[in-house]
């Protein structure tokens, strides 16, 4: 079983920045993809960034140029750096991992952008 734990969410003013972390643990087999999703109140969950094991990271159009992703293989952790945040970025952010055996989700971390 794979466990994903997100952290780093919080309240930030418009124009501010946050960095989310997703720490993966457990029995991980041949990662196909890691991704960040978000879900705003009353809306469907949407993809923020997809990081396939081979290939380039893809970003949602609304986040391109503002969000970046990085990883620390030694810590089995991926990061979502979010800059120039605006109120439309307010949502619960989820980490997702797809490997050879399954599709796993973290519990989510709340990001609120408000003045």
């Amino acid at each position: 079983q794979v466990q994903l734990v997100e952290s780093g969410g919080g309240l930030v003013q418009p124009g501010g920045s946050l960095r989310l972390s997703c720490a993966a643990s457990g029995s991980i087999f041949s990662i196909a993809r890691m991704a960040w999703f978000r879900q705003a109140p009353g809306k469907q969950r949407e993809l923020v960034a997809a990081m396939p094991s081979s290939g380039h990271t893809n970003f949602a159009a609304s986040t391109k140029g503002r969000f970046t992703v990085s990883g620390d293989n030694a810590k089995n952790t991926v990061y979502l750096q979010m800059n120039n945040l605006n109120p439309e970025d307010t949502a619960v952010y989820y980490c997702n991992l797809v490997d050879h055996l399954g599709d796993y989700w973290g519990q989510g971390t709340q990001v609120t952008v408000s003045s």
Side-chain angles (χ1 to χ4, degrees):
Q1 190 71 359
V2 174
Q3 295 81 42
L4 302 174
V5 178
E6 302 99 333
S7 61
L11 173 65
V12 63
Q13 291 187 340
S17 298
L18 281 175
R19 189 177 80 156
L20 305 183
S21 301
C22 171
S25 62
S27 301
I28 302 171
F29 296 94
S30 184
I31 295 176
R33 184 200 73 184
M34 292 195 73
W36 286 96
F37 286 77
R38 67 185 181 186
Q39 187 165 17
K43 295 187 177 181
Q44 290 188 330
R45 191 171 295 189
E46 64 174 359
L47 179 69
V48 174
M51 301 156 284
S53 59
S54 59
H56 297 292
T57 299
N58 296 310
F59 291 91
S62 61
T63 65
K64 198 172 293 185
R66 299 186 298 123
F67 291 10
T68 58
V69 294
S70 61
D72 185 334
N73 289 336
K75 296 181 179 180
N76 283 339
T77 300
V78 294
Y79 304 97
L80 178 66
Q81 177 67 43
M82 306 185 293
N83 299 324
N84 194 22
L85 287 160
N86 59 62
E88 289 71 38
D89 296 315
T90 295
V92 178
Y93 284 70
Y94 297 92
C95 180
N96 169 250
L97 183 152
V98 177
D99 73 359
H100 188 64
L101 295 179
D103 187 350
Y104 306 96
W105 294 87
Q107 82 289 351
T109 185
Q110 176 71 45
V111 172
T112 302
V113 184
S114 176
S115 56

